[in-house]
Amino acid sequence: MTLSSISTTLDQLPPACDDIQFNYCKTVACANFSRTDPDLYVLQNSNLQRPVLICRECGAFPPVLSNYDVVAEKQRLKLEQNSGLAACSNNDCLHNGLPVLTNRQYYHAFGFSGERQRYRCKACHHTFVDPWSSSNNKHQLQQKLLAYLFTGYTVREICRRLDMNPKTFYDQLNNIAARCRHQLTIFDARLGKQSQDRQLATDLTPLQPQSNNGVLWIATAEVNSGYVISQHVNYQTQSATTSVTHHDAYCNGTRFITPHNNHYPQSAPPLSQGLLAHIDTTYRQILARKNMENPLSGQVTIHYPTKGCLIRPQYTVYSHFLYLRELLNQNIPTLAVFMPQETLLRSACLSVFIDRINNHTIDPLYVVEDQQWQHGQQIEKIDIVLMGWWRDRWAFSRNKSANKGICHLGGNKKNQQHWLTIATHHAATAYQQRFYDQFNHMVNEPRRKLRPASLLPLLDIYRAWHNLCHQNKAGITPAQTLGLMSSPMTLEQLLQ
Ligand SMILES: [Zn+2]
Ligand SMILES: [Zn+2]
């Protein structure tokens, strides 16, 4: 990409894709909020590394983003979720990649191939077998493998105990992961049919906290049950065919990050500071990024993975919310989304659910709380403080030695007490923390620091186990709490 071609296109917004245009003012109280007329903005192109829209009304400066790449990224997330499921495999067909499980209407049952169900695509008449329709003759071996993995054995130790080589281990792990995706697809689809009010918790965190490999992991869970609805990482195992050194929202394929390393000296651990100071510092760090919606464009160290490709996190996060919007029932009366203070999460959630913002059927909230904060306790005194460049309106409460702050990102000033009592992104945060604890030996193993690919099958397996098998103190799984199944699934049932 040459500079001249950038300057010739920078007088307009990046083109819309599939009716999606995410470049507009994201200040909810501004008259230009969600409006896509280019005349309402100044396109700042003097600093090519930081192209932004400047809103003529409120002065906010949202970074620009390629709509094409958001859509392409969502396609990638969908393909990964569906990979290994029975679906039409004809690349030229309309039904290509659409799983039979959730798209029965596109296929005919078409006899059997041995024990396995055969299907025929109604559009192209291509036939294929469902790999999951016969019994799993490896299920005993796979059960043992998982049992060892969940009790903290290393890959080397598991291979020794099961008398297999590492290649076989990973083949089995990938097979288990595909089976888990198959099971999850069934329950996710049931969840997608439900239409009652929903409260969601979202968090974004490094996949391997000690590796600085640039792979971030976003997870969204239903708040009350803990059911993890979806999770994604900004990394793919294949290398990219195109990649650009600097983000350029006018160039297709700009979501792929060119391999590079960044080194910033480790900053001193933050002094113990109050919640207010902490929130203020976070706003400053976000403003200092080259691109406010890209956490990796701040002063962060990056050791690029040895294989595969990193994706600019804003594309994965916007696509994560698009994925959620497609999965969840459109008739849900009200939706609440609780998240940590992160501009990327805010922008993506607001942009994807813009219709709900405009008709006030979504409550997106930042939630920041001290560790000692006890969830659900009575709120007494509330302090309102306007914070950050955006003058975001935060409501704070203090109880004994702990503080909690919330900020309604949809501009609703009512119900502060209610939100201070119930809002928390704990369901997502705790899920991710348990993953680190459970698979500590794999997450932090030095040799895996630059090899995140080996953790990807583990994510699918962990989500399936967490949603379908893991019981709380009352013996109930998240899927049961949501009424998606009547009894917990055993590991054996998961693998059959
Ligand atoms: Zn504005
Ligand atoms: Zn087809």
Side-chain angles (χ1 to χ4, degrees):
M1 194 82 192
T2 61
L3 295 185
S4 64
S5 66
I6 292 174
S7 52
T8 52
T9 51
L10 245 178
D11 56 341
Q12 46 197 317
L13 302 180
C17 181
D18 289 4
D19 289 333
I20 282 176
Q21 175 54 273
F22 282 145
N23 297 293
Y24 43 67
C25 175
K26 287 163 191 169
T27 310
V28 177
C30 176
N32 289 350
F33 174 69
S34 83
R35 294 173 69 190
T36 55
D37 177 355
D39 294 341
L40 302 173
Y41 306 99
V42 178
L43 270 152
Q44 185 280 116
N45 57 1
S46 59
N47 182 349
L48 286 169
Q49 286 195 38
R50 291 189 184 198
V52 293
L53 289 180
I54 301 167
C55 173
R56 290 184 195 269
E57 187 70 29
C58 73
F61 41 97
V64 285
L65 132 133
S66 159
N67 300 299
Y68 172 90
D69 269 45
V70 175
V71 172
E73 173 69 357
K74 196 203 70 188
Q75 217 75 332
R76 179 186 77 87
L77 302 183
K78 220 162 178 174
L79 275 177
E80 290 207 332
Q81 170 63 30
N82 293 341
S83 85
L85 304 190
C88 177
S89 59
N90 174 0
N91 283 331
D92 300 323
C93 178
L94 221 64
H95 300 163
N96 178 250
L98 298 173
V100 179
L101 263 184
T102 45
N103 299 277
R104 293 258 170 214
Q105 69 277 20
Y106 296 156
Y107 303 100
H108 290 297
F110 201 68
F112 286 86
S113 184
E115 248 188 88
R116 295 172 169 185
Q117 176 70 52
R118 180 168 280 279
Y119 290 98
R120 186 161 87 160
C121 172
K122 286 185 184 174
C124 72
H125 302 279
H126 179 80
T127 70
F128 52 90
V129 295
D130 179 356
W132 312 111
S133 58
S134 61
S135 55
N136 178 9
N137 57 15
K138 288 279 194 301
H139 80 93
Q140 282 186 327
L141 175 73
Q142 293 185 345
Q143 262 185 72
K144 282 186 200 158
L145 190 155
L146 277 198
Y148 285 135
L149 203 58
F150 273 86
T151 38
Y153 285 92
T154 62
V155 176
R156 183 185 300 209
E157 185 71 2
I158 297 171
C159 287
R160 198 183 61 77
R161 287 177 172 249
L162 296 178
D163 192 23
M164 55 170 62
N165 60 41
K167 162 128 186 12
T168 314
F169 172 86
Y170 285 110
D171 287 348
Q172 290 299 332
L173 200 67
N174 282 317
N175 183 278
I176 297 170
R179 195 170 281 279
C180 287
R181 285 194 296 274
H182 172 87
Q183 296 280 8
L184 284 166
T185 301
I186 298 169
F187 292 97
D188 292 349
R190 284 183 198 162
L191 174 92
K193 290 203 175 74
Q194 298 184 337
S195 59
Q196 61 264 48
D197 289 337
R198 277 274 176 255
Q199 292 175 350
L200 307 177
T202 297
D203 204 349
L204 177 70
T205 177
L207 180 62
Q208 294 167 273
Q210 295 171 24
S211 77
N212 294 314
N213 63 10
V215 182
L216 301 178
W217 171 30
I218 183 169
T220 295
E222 195 279 327
V223 166
N224 301 303
S225 63
Y227 187 98
V228 176
I229 303 173
S230 71
Q231 59 180 355
H232 298 110
V233 293
N234 63 321
Y235 167 82
Q236 66 176 33
T237 50
Q238 312 91 317
S239 27
T241 43
T242 55
S243 68
V244 285
T245 324
H246 299 296
H247 178 229
D248 175 359
Y250 295 83
C251 173
N252 293 351
T254 196
R255 68 188 180 285
F256 299 116
I257 302 177
T258 309
H260 71 288
N261 292 309
N262 266 351
H263 190 76
Y264 284 96
Q266 191 114 47
S267 49
L271 300 166
S272 71
Q273 51 180 354
L275 207 61
L276 225 74
H278 176 77
I279 291 170
D280 191 55
T281 306
T282 306
Y283 274 124
R284 284 169 203 277
Q285 286 167 345
I286 289 170
L287 270 176
R289 292 175 184 165
K290 279 187 184 151
N291 181 325
M292 276 188 305
E293 295 183 0
N294 179 359
L296 298 182
S297 71
Q299 298 198 344
V300 290
T301 296
I302 295 179
H303 302 305
Y304 204 94
T306 44
K307 279 187 187 147
C309 184
L310 285 178
I311 289 152
R312 292 181 212 282
Q314 61 269 45
Y315 290 95
T316 307
V317 170
Y318 274 74
S319 302
H320 174 82
F321 283 101
L322 279 175
Y323 184 97
L324 279 176
R325 191 182 68 180
E326 273 182 23
L327 181 76
L328 295 172
N329 193 317
Q330 290 186 353
N331 298 321
I332 289 174
T334 68
L335 194 63
V337 186
F338 308 137
M339 60 188 109
Q341 181 196 0
E342 168 54 64
T343 294
L344 170 55
L345 294 176
R346 173 195 183 277
S347 295
C349 181
L350 257 61
S351 304
V352 167
F353 291 108
I354 200 89
D355 293 345
R356 284 187 177 268
I357 296 281
N358 285 327
N359 58 29
H360 309 290
T361 56
I362 188 168
D363 295 293
L365 284 111
Y366 279 157
V367 187
V368 179
E369 56 194 17
D370 287 330
Q371 273 194 339
Q372 304 88 328
W373 180 267
Q374 283 176 355
H375 184 65
Q377 61 190 330
Q378 197 58 38
I379 304 299
E380 283 150 20
K381 191 170 163 294
I382 297 175
D383 294 313
I384 302 294
V385 186
L386 302 181
M387 299 195 69
W389 186 92
W390 299 271
R391 315 280 293 149
D392 283 344
R393 190 173 186 277
W394 285 80
F396 290 95
S397 179
R398 185 182 173 78
N399 226 307
K400 293 187 189 120
S401 59
N403 293 284
K404 175 170 179 172
I406 53 131
C407 173
H408 195 295
L409 303 166
N412 189 337
K413 296 177 187 168
K414 295 177 201 151
N415 304 327
Q416 310 281 13
Q417 187 160 15
H418 170 69
W419 295 123
L420 274 165
T421 311
I422 70 151
T424 174
H425 53 78
H426 179 80
T429 312
Y431 167 77
Q432 293 179 314
Q433 188 56 51
R434 275 198 304 271
F435 177 83
Y436 299 144
D437 296 344
Q438 186 86 57
F439 301 110
N440 179 40
H441 57 293
M442 284 181 83
V443 171
N444 293 321
E445 201 205 315
R447 281 178 307 162
R448 278 177 214 278
K449 280 191 171 180
L450 301 183
R451 299 178 185 279
S454 61
L455 289 174
L456 301 186
L458 223 46
L459 286 177
D460 289 325
I461 295 168
Y462 185 65
R463 182 165 87 91
W465 176 81
H466 169 89
N467 285 346
L468 310 176
C469 308
H470 178 60
Q471 303 167 25
N472 64 14
K473 284 179 192 139
I476 310 276
T477 65
Q480 272 179 285
T481 307
L482 285 176
L484 308 175
M485 57 166 32
S486 54
S487 57
M489 208 181 244
T490 60
L491 265 190
E492 187 179 357
Q493 290 164 329
L494 180 68
L495 294 174
Q496 249 161 12

